[in-house]
Amino acid sequence: QVHLVESGGGLVQAGGSLRLSCAATGRTISSYAMGWFRQAPGKEREFVGGISRSGGSTAYADSVKGRFTISRDNTENTLYLRMSSLKPEDTAVYYCGLGVPIHGEYVPINLYEFGAWGQGTQVTVSS
């Protein structure tokens, strides 16, 4: 079965940058849309960014537009999230998600559009 492993999280000061990676094994991700969600303590898991199967289309939450960039390398079977101008409110556990097997190019932004998740990686932004 598919196994997703996030990495790249850590402690960074406000205004700094981080790049998260999500490595997939057990399944080729080229046939699936993917995305990133995050969850802060006491909060519900929220959408951060989504990307179509080919990487040709993306979508972002308003809170991260202009600061975060989602991308993928299907050859390496890896999803990325480049985060810049980080704010303390970006502090959360970030999760990589694999979309459900829907045909065509689309960008998932809802929880029900994802069928598998990684264990998450902690991102902490200090003020």
Side-chain angles (χ1 to χ4, degrees):
Q1 188 65 294
V2 64
H3 184 57
L4 306 175
V5 179
E6 299 93 336
S7 63
L11 176 64
V12 63
Q13 293 189 156
S17 300
L18 284 174
R19 189 178 79 160
L20 307 184
S21 297
C22 172
T25 58
R27 187 180 303 176
T28 299
I29 67 170
S30 61
S31 297
Y32 301 86
M34 299 186 76
W36 289 95
F37 279 69
R38 66 186 182 186
Q39 187 167 23
K43 305 287 186 178
E44 295 185 344
R45 189 170 297 192
E46 66 173 350
F47 170 75
V48 175
I51 189 167
S52 62
R53 294 185 298 171
S54 70
S57 298
T58 59
Y60 300 91
D62 289 340
S63 60
V64 306
K65 285 182 180 177
R67 299 189 298 118
F68 290 14
T69 301
I70 187 171
S71 63
R72 64 192 296 161
D73 187 334
N74 288 341
T75 299
E76 297 295 324
N77 229 37
T78 303
L79 176 73
Y80 302 97
L81 182 67
R82 181 71 167 87
M83 306 182 293
S84 300
S85 301
L86 285 163
K87 306 173 180 179
E89 49 263 48
D90 292 320
T91 296
V93 175
Y94 283 70
Y95 297 92
C96 166
L98 184 71
V100 296
I102 298 176
H103 295 286
E105 287 288 301
Y106 79 104
V107 181
I109 61 173
N110 305 118
L111 281 172
Y112 71 82
E113 295 179 281
F114 295 87
W117 302 93
Q119 84 291 344
T121 185
Q122 177 71 47
V123 172
T124 302
V125 184
S126 62
S127 60

